[in-house]
Amino acid sequence: MGLFAGHLLVLAVLAAGSVLAGLHLLAVRRTAGLSLAAAVAATLAAAATAVARGAPTHYTVGVALTAGGAVALAWATGRSRRRGSARRSALVAYEAGLPAVPRFAALAERDRLAAELHDVAAHRLTGVVVAAGAALRLADEERTAAALRHAGEAGREAIRELERLTGPDAHPALVTLADVDALAAAHTVDYRRTVRTAPARSTEAAYRVVREALTNAARYAGGSAVRVRIDPADTDGGDPPSRNAPALLVTVTDGGGRAVAPDLGTGRGLAGLAATVAAAGGTFTAGPVGGDGQTGTGIGTGWTVRALLPAGTAAPRPRRPSWRGTIASDYALVVLAIALSLGAGLLSADRPESFGGLLPAVLTVVLSGLHALPLGWRSRAPGRALAAVLLALLLWWACDRLGWTRPPVSDIFLVYGWVELTLVYSSGVRLPWRRSLYAPLAVAATGGLALASGPGITGSRVAAWALLTGVLALPALAVWSWGRRTGRRRARRRAVDARRRALLDGHADSAVRAQRLRFAAGLRGTALGHTRALVAAADAGNLPTVRDEARAGLAALRELLAGNAEDGTGGDGTGEEEAPPPTTAGIAALAAAHGATVQYLGPSRPLPAVVEVFAHRVAAALMAVGVTLTVRTRHDGVEVCGPLPGDPEAERRLRALVDTAGGTLSTPGRTEVRVWLPEVSPWRSE
C-alpha cells in the first residue's frame, strides 16, 4: 500500500510539473489573455480535484492558493521569456536597419523640398504665364503693363523663394491665417473666412489648399469666378476629423472656363495636397461640379476642392499601465507571496491550529495581503512599495506582541523575507544610490526587530535586535549592490545607445545637407536662371520673353521634380527596393510605398530602439492603400492609430504583435485601432 501511495505521489508530481511546463510554454508562445485564462483554469482544476477527493474546505483553499502561486510563477517567467525574445528580435531588426536611416532621411528631405518647390515657385510662375498670355492675346496696353508689373513682382518673389530653397536653411516660415487672407486678396476672388484661429498644421494645410486651388483655377478655368470659404465645419454639414476636436472646412470652387495653360502642371498638386491635409489630421476631396462632368478640361466645367481640417487640438487620452508588461509579472509575485504565506498553512489534514482561532486567522489573512500587495508597485515605485511592506511587517510585529496572530512574526520573516529583498533589489536598480541605500538598512533593522521577538530569543532582546540587524545587513546590502550593478549596467547601455543615436543623427543630417546641395545645384542651373531672365525681360518690357522664360522655368521645375521622383529607394545599385528603417521616422517611407499617409504628433525625440521597432511593425500591420495613420509621441511612450483591419486574421496577428510588445490595443467603435507602446517598463527585466 505504501509503495502504491509513493507511486501516486510521483505521478502527481510529474503531472503537476508537466502542467506548469505547459503553462510556461503557453505564456511564451501565446498572448497574455489566452495564457492567463489557461493559468486560471489550471488553478481551478487543482481546487476541483481536491473537492472531488472530499478534502476539507480549508485544505481545498490551500490547494488553490498553492497551485495559484506555482501557476503564477510559471506564467510570469513565460511572459518574461516572451518579452525577452521580442526585445532581442527587435534589437536585431534595429541594427540591421540602421544603415538605411541616412538614406531615407535624405529621401524625406528630397520629397519635402520637391513639395515646397511645387507649391511656391510653380504657383508664381504659373500666374506669370497666365497673365502674360492673356495680355498678349488681347493686345491691350494697360493689360500688358499690368502683366509686366505682375511678372516683375512675382519673379522677384520666386527668386527669393528659390534662393531660400538653395540656402543652408531651406525650411519655410510659419504661415498664419492672415497669409491666407493676403493670398486670396492678391487673386481678387470671392473670399470669406469665419474662423479666427487654427492650429499651425491646419493653417499651413489651408494655405496650401487655397494656393494650389487658385493656381489650378488660373490654369484650367481662365476668367471664371472663384469662391474661397474657410468656415467651421458644422456650417457646411461636415463631420470633425476627430471626435475630440472641432474642425474647419476649406472650400475653393471655380465656375469652369477655358484651359489657359493645361500643360504647365507637374502632376503632383492634388496628390501632394491630399498628403498634406491627411498629415494635418484632415480629409481632402477634389472633383468637378456640373458641366459635362470632365475634370476641368471642358468649358463650363466647375471644380471644387474641399479640405476638412482640425480647428483645435484634441486632449491626449490618459494612459493606464500595461498589464502585459512588467506590471503583470509584479502582480504574479503578489499571487506567489500570498500563496506561500497562506496556502502552506492551510494544507493540513485537520483545521490548521497555527491560525489559533477566528481572530488570528482573519488578521493573518489581512496581514499577508498587506505584506504581499506592495510587490505590485515594484517597477513603478519600489521605494514606496518597500515602505508599505515594512509597515505591514511592523503591524504584524505589534499584533504578535499582543498575542493576536499565529505563527509568530519571526517565523513569517524567515520564510517570506524574500519579499523585502526583492524590493531592496528593485530600489537599487531604479532609485538614486543615496535614496536607495536606506532600503537595505531599513530591511535589516525591521527584520532584526521581527527576529528578536521570536520565542527562541533569551536575554536582552535589544542586544539581540542589534546583533540580528548587523547580520541581516550583510545579505540586504549584497542584494542592494546587485541591484545597483544592474542599474549601472542599464545606464551604461542607455549611454551607449544615446551616443550611437547621436552619431546616427549626425550621419542623417549630413545626408540631408548633401541632398539639399544637390537640389540647390539643380535649381541654380535651371529654374533659377530662367526666373532671373524673366525678371530682366519684365524690366525691359519684353512680354513675349517673359512668357517664354516663365514657361521654360516651369518646364525646368517639372524635369527637376521628375528626375528626383525617379531616384527611388533602391540605393545599392542592384535595382532592388531598399526597405525603410524600422523606426518611427521610417513609417513615413513605408506609408509612401503603400500610398498611405502618416501624421506625426507630439515632440520629436529619440525613443528606445525596441519601441521604435514595434511602432514600425504596428504601423506596417495597419498599412493599406489610402489609409491615414497617426503616430503620437508622448513623454512615456508612443501611440499608433489607424483604421481597424477588415480581416479578422489580420486583427488577430495585430493583437499578438501588440501583446508581444507589451503594449495595449483598443478598438473604439470597432472602426479604428489605438495601440499604446510604453517606453520603459515592459522592457525592463529583473
Side-chain angles (χ1 to χ4, degrees), residues 75-477:
W75 182 83
T77 54
R79 294 293 299 170
S80 179
R81 277 189 60 191
R82 180 176 174 89
R83 292 196 308 272
S85 176
R87 183 181 187 277
R88 290 189 294 272
S89 170
L91 289 176
V92 169
Y94 186 78
E95 292 288 343
L98 287 182
V101 170
R103 174 167 176 77
F104 276 88
L107 293 178
E109 178 67 7
R110 178 206 69 184
D111 293 340
R112 188 192 68 79
L113 289 172
E116 190 175 350
L117 185 64
H118 170 272
D119 291 344
V120 175
H123 167 73
R124 298 192 184 281
L125 293 180
T126 297
V128 171
V129 170
V130 172
L136 290 173
R137 194 167 52 252
L138 297 175
D140 180 77
E141 293 185 2
E142 184 175 348
R143 185 179 280 274
T144 297
L148 288 170
R149 186 167 54 253
H150 172 261
E153 295 172 353
R156 290 182 178 87
E157 286 293 328
I159 289 174
R160 281 193 289 271
E161 290 161 348
L162 290 173
E163 287 178 340
R164 178 180 59 78
L165 286 175
T166 60
D169 184 14
H171 291 275
L174 292 177
V175 176
T176 65
L177 289 175
D179 294 321
V180 183
D181 299 342
L183 178 65
H187 286 76
T188 62
V189 297
D190 178 11
Y191 176 69
R192 184 188 71 197
R193 173 170 66 87
T194 58
V195 174
R196 299 182 61 183
T197 60
R201 281 176 172 265
S202 296
T203 301
E204 180 181 359
Y207 184 85
R208 291 186 62 182
V209 167
V210 172
R211 182 173 58 192
E212 179 67 19
L214 293 178
T215 300
N216 287 340
R219 287 174 180 161
Y220 303 112
S224 69
V226 180
R227 187 185 71 169
V228 179
R229 296 287 184 267
I230 303 178
D231 298 315
D234 56 2
T235 64
D236 197 64
D239 296 325
S242 172
R243 297 180 181 180
N244 301 318
L248 63 88
L249 182 65
V250 180
T251 56
V252 182
T253 304
D254 65 65
R258 190 172 65 86
V260 177
D263 59 333
L264 299 182
T266 63
R268 301 172 60 96
L270 294 181
L273 280 188
T276 298
V277 171
T283 57
F284 176 82
T285 57
V289 288
D292 58 4
Q294 302 299 316
T295 57
T297 60
I299 297 177
T301 301
W303 189 268
T304 293
V305 172
R306 183 179 185 270
L308 189 63
L309 297 162
T313 303
R317 295 171 293 276
R319 292 289 158 200
R320 296 180 178 178
S322 172
W323 283 84
R324 293 173 173 83
T326 307
I327 296 175
S329 299
D330 293 345
Y331 278 97
L333 289 178
V334 172
V335 175
L336 179 62
I338 293 176
L340 292 178
S341 60
L342 296 178
L346 293 170
L347 289 177
S348 60
D350 302 315
R351 185 178 183 83
E353 295 297 331
S354 58
F355 288 120
L358 179 61
L359 178 61
V362 172
L363 286 176
T364 300
V365 171
V366 172
L367 291 172
S368 296
L370 293 176
H371 187 255
L373 282 175
L375 280 172
W377 316 335
R378 180 178 65 100
S379 301
R380 293 168 292 169
R384 295 178 182 178
L386 181 59
V389 165
L390 295 180
L391 183 60
L393 190 62
L394 288 174
L395 184 59
W396 210 323
W397 173 82
C399 292
D400 182 40
R401 300 302 296 169
L402 294 172
W404 292 352
T405 57
R406 293 181 187 176
V409 69
S410 57
D411 293 354
I412 293 297
F413 183 77
L414 282 174
V415 177
Y416 310 117
W418 64 270
V419 173
E420 282 81 355
L421 293 179
T422 299
L423 293 174
V424 166
Y425 173 81
S426 296
S427 298
V429 171
R430 289 179 167 80
L431 298 180
W433 79 270
R434 292 182 184 275
R435 287 176 55 194
S436 63
L437 182 58
Y438 292 106
L441 301 179
V443 168
T446 308
L449 180 63
L451 293 177
S453 66
I457 301 296
T458 59
S460 173
R461 292 188 181 271
V462 174
W465 170 73
L467 177 62
L468 291 169
T469 297
V471 172
L472 289 175
L474 297 178
L477 286 171

Side-chain angles (χ1 to χ4, degrees), residues 1-16:
M1 187 67 180
L3 182 61
F4 180 71
H7 289 165
L8 286 180
L9 179 60
V10 171
L11 290 176
V13 170
L14 291 176

